[in-house]
Amino acid sequence: MTTGLSEKIPTILSADKKIIEPDIIIRINPYFTAVKYDSCTLKKFLAPKFCPIIEMIAVLRPRTGNRRICSNRAAEPKPATAYSPNTPIYVRIIKFPTEIVRKVRAEVGKNFIIMYRLSMIDLIPSGSTWNEVCFLAKEIESAGASIINTGIGWHEARIPTIATSVPRRAFSWVTKKLMGQVKIPIIASNRINTAEIAESVLADGCADMVSMARPFLADPNFMAKIYADMSKTIVPCIACNQACLDHTFSMKLTSCLVNPSACNEKEFAYNTVSQETRTIAVVGSGPAGIAASITARNRGFKVSLFELTSSIGGQLKLASKIPGKEEFLGLIEYYNNEVMRLGINLYLNYNVTAAELQAFDEVIGATGGNPRGIDCKVNDASNVVSYVDILKGKVVAGNN
């Protein structure tokens, strides 16, 4: 197999100026390539397609044998004592990041903030030990970094780190272990998506600061709403990754499933109506119906929302019952709060008629869809049921 980058892999020289061939070249995704030298050292850098490779400063021992090229291959076990912190070989390995920080500091001066993102738990075989993490953190601090941010896991790690199935603030304990080891501030990250969760991370002494990314796609006014004591109006990030990371890795425009106006602001620039004279009826309170109701109400229309069942949410209610997708409950809660706050007329357990809809200026149908049926022959049809019936509790699933 080939990576397509074999001609642009950076050259590393041994102490006696001999070229060291990579042991394994791992293509992680279109953005990153990892090169493994000396059967132990794994280096990750931006692929040449996207930016030039900075000359690597680390000097490693030469090796013998043929180069192997593979894809997503786990690193070979690292000898327990090969790269113990504060040994000459490990100091040479980490010279690459420390020299970059040191040179950047020399160029920008002492008052410029340099943030270094440190992988505190690799979640891959033969990843960095905790002693190595602590040693590198101290060396980065000495090199001139102002802040250390937390990195969790590599791209090829099989353990989820940011998906909706990962509990909120799941990795704050990792950052807390580094607290007190360095004097500069430490930032916690990963699955921190509400003001309350962020505050709890700080209150528990897990970090000096908290970083967020996806929550600001979900709601760009996140911080402004906190300062205005309007945290309940924050559109919650549900960590689905469908329109942010999935789009990014597919070379598409980044956006957000719960906030499609993210990175599409010009297309969603709606004008407000001057007077609350026009009326809109929305039939169905799934995510589409609620989003339409909230948008119309924010524009100044008088909105009536009709729902056949006893609560809003539509298929979000089913999705929230799937283990690992409890975050959808937070989105339903946000929708409930917005319906009440904006004064949308909500009619639950109501089967609105066509005659009643005649009284409105505009009608939006958002009654949802039905899952596709399965047309196949089975010996015992009693064992075949819809997932909807299972999630609604009408049918109890078997052990298999």
Side-chain angles (χ1 to χ4, degrees), residues 238-251:
I238 58 176
C240 67
N241 299 326
Q242 293 183 37
C244 52
L245 291 178
D246 286 355
H247 277 200
T248 299
F249 291 138
S250 301
M251 303 301 294

Side-chain angles (χ1 to χ4, degrees), residues 318-338:
L318 295 180
S320 65
K321 294 181 179 181
I322 299 174
K325 291 193 174 183
E326 292 81 5
E327 279 289 354
F328 286 87
L329 291 172
L331 184 59
I332 296 175
E333 181 182 2
Y334 160 76
Y335 284 148
N336 271 306
N337 292 336
E338 285 298 278

Side-chain angles (χ1 to χ4, degrees), residues 293-315:
S293 299
I294 293 174
T295 301
R297 185 62 185 139
N298 281 326
R299 292 187 61 191
F301 292 99
K302 186 176 181 180
V303 180
S304 295
L305 177 60
F306 298 93
E307 169 57 40
L308 189 62
T309 66
S310 61
S311 60
I312 67 172
Q315 295 201 38

Side-chain angles (χ1 to χ4, degrees), residues 44 67 89 94 114 117 123 132 211 223 251 279 282 311 321 328 338:
K44 184 169 72 171
R67 179 196 300 184
I89 184 64
I94 67 172
I114 299 176
R117 191 167 178 93
L123 301 177
E132 289 170 343
S211 68
M223 295 305 301
M251 303 301 294
T279 59
V282 180
S311 60
K321 294 181 179 181
F328 286 87
E338 285 298 278

Side-chain angles (χ1 to χ4, degrees), residues 143-290:
S146 311
I147 302 170
I148 290 179
N149 200 348
T150 301
I152 301 293
W154 281 49
H155 284 275
E156 70 270 35
R158 295 179 180 270
I159 300 175
T161 59
I162 58 174
T164 188
S165 57
V166 177
R168 294 177 177 179
R169 58 168 290 185
F171 296 97
S172 59
W173 63 271
V174 180
T175 309
K176 187 174 184 178
K177 287 180 64 177
L178 195 62
M179 291 288 285
Q181 300 293 324
V182 293
K183 296 179 181 178
I184 57 178
I186 301 174
I187 299 178
S189 65
N190 286 55
R191 289 294 284 119
I192 301 171
N193 64 339
T194 70
E196 293 76 17
I197 293 297
E199 184 64 30
S200 68
V201 170
L202 301 177
D204 292 345
C206 296
D208 299 298
M209 304 168 68
V210 168
S211 68
M212 299 180 184
R214 293 173 298 171
F216 293 145
L217 283 174
D219 195 332
N221 298 313
F222 189 101
M223 295 305 301
K225 290 179 178 180
I226 291 177
Y227 283 118
D229 195 22
M230 298 174 61
S231 60
K232 287 187 176 181
T233 67
I234 295 175
V235 183
C237 167
I238 58 176
C240 67
N241 299 326
Q242 293 183 37
C244 52
L245 291 178
D246 286 355
H247 277 200
T248 299
F249 291 138
S250 301
M251 303 301 294
K252 298 178 182 178
L253 181 67
T254 299
S255 189
C256 179
L257 199 70
V258 299
N259 178 27
S261 66
C263 303
N264 296 291
E265 286 80 5
K266 290 185 177 180
E267 296 183 26
F268 286 81
Y270 298 120
N271 296 324
T272 57
V273 293
S274 57
Q275 295 180 349
E276 195 178 277
T277 55
R278 295 183 64 82
T279 59
I280 294 180
V282 180
V283 184
S285 69
I290 299 175

